[in-house]
Amino acid sequence: MKTIEQIAVSIAFLGVMMKMMAIAGGDTVLAASLLILAFSYSPFGLFLFNHIPVSRWFDRKAYMGMTAARALGSFAVGVVCSVLVTGILFKLLQLPGAREMMWMGFVGVGMLGISVAFRSLSGLRPGAFARGLFRRAAVWVVLAFALYMTPGVVLVEAFYRQHPEYIEAYKRAAADPQNERLQWEAEEIRSQL
């Protein structure tokens, strides 16, 4: 599973580069890789973060010695990372709902951080496993926060610099988000690119 994670991140980077260079298919490559990553995190976080290979998912011995807190924590981090990755994907593709998904991810990581801090304050030091989970989630939070703070027009100007008519239509639509005609015009121009 870790190999899938590394490959998906590499292909997502390739998708972003394709979008930056206006190579056809960049959106598809980006969407496919980040959706595979999100899917591998959410239902399979327990296995991914505990390094349980697919061949041992149904082997009881693979779970011997695993505490309920460790299982729940790895599943929760998987869900949070999945939400953050999906929010990142939506932001890069300028789809609605990106901000809400990123906020849900930020809240989830905040709750995980509070539980780690509470554990530390109560005298129980979080182990290497918990610190590793928190670091992995922190990487996605930093990336999501950077994109969250990046105005949509900056991404549009970077990804569509060869299409000034779309950039102008996007700016008009962003300036008046209640105007459905402007929203439709911007989307119509984008669909023709």
Side-chain angles (χ1 to χ4, degrees):
M1 288 286 282
K2 191 170 185 176
T3 305
I4 291 172
E5 182 181 28
Q6 293 168 344
I7 291 170
V9 168
S10 300
I11 293 173
F13 182 74
L14 175 66
V16 170
M17 292 295 103
M18 288 173 70
K19 280 182 68 73
M20 294 291 291
M21 294 185 282
I23 297 172
D27 284 349
T28 304
V29 169
L30 182 62
S33 61
L34 288 182
L35 287 174
I36 288 170
L37 187 60
F39 184 70
S40 67
Y41 278 151
S42 184
F44 304 115
L46 171 70
F47 311 115
L48 176 68
F49 301 138
N50 287 293
H51 308 290
I52 299 173
V54 176
S55 61
R56 298 199 56 214
W57 283 3
F58 301 105
D59 182 5
R60 296 186 105 174
K61 293 176 185 170
Y63 306 98
M64 297 298 268
M66 183 184 303
T67 64
R70 181 176 177 144
L72 182 63
S74 56
F75 180 77
V77 169
V79 169
V80 167
C81 288
S82 178
V83 170
L84 286 169
V85 167
T86 305
I88 289 168
L89 172 64
F90 275 42
K91 178 74 174 195
L92 291 172
L93 296 181
Q94 290 103 28
L95 298 173
R99 296 176 67 84
E100 292 80 6
M101 281 187 253
M102 288 185 195
W103 264 109
M104 289 187 329
F106 297 151
V107 169
V109 168
M111 290 172 30
L112 292 169
I114 289 170
S115 70
V116 169
F118 180 74
R119 186 175 169 101
S120 295
L121 291 174
S122 65
L124 300 171
R125 293 190 59 217
F129 178 75
R131 287 191 304 271
L133 283 180
F134 195 71
R135 275 194 300 267
R136 177 176 263 137
V139 167
W140 289 113
V141 165
V142 168
L143 184 57
F145 187 73
L147 283 171
Y148 182 84
M149 296 305 291
T150 304
V153 72
V154 171
L155 293 175
V156 168
E157 288 174 343
F159 293 148
Y160 298 99
R161 63 185 171 277
Q162 295 86 355
H163 304 285
E165 70 280 358
Y166 174 62
I167 294 171
E168 288 308 313
Y170 180 87
K171 287 179 180 178
R172 285 191 303 271
D176 188 5
Q178 301 304 320
N179 189 330
E180 291 182 21
R181 185 182 58 78
L182 291 176
Q183 305 299 322
W184 181 83
E185 286 175 4
E187 196 54 43
E188 185 67 26
I189 292 171
R190 181 180 174 189
S191 69
Q192 295 172 4
L193 301 180

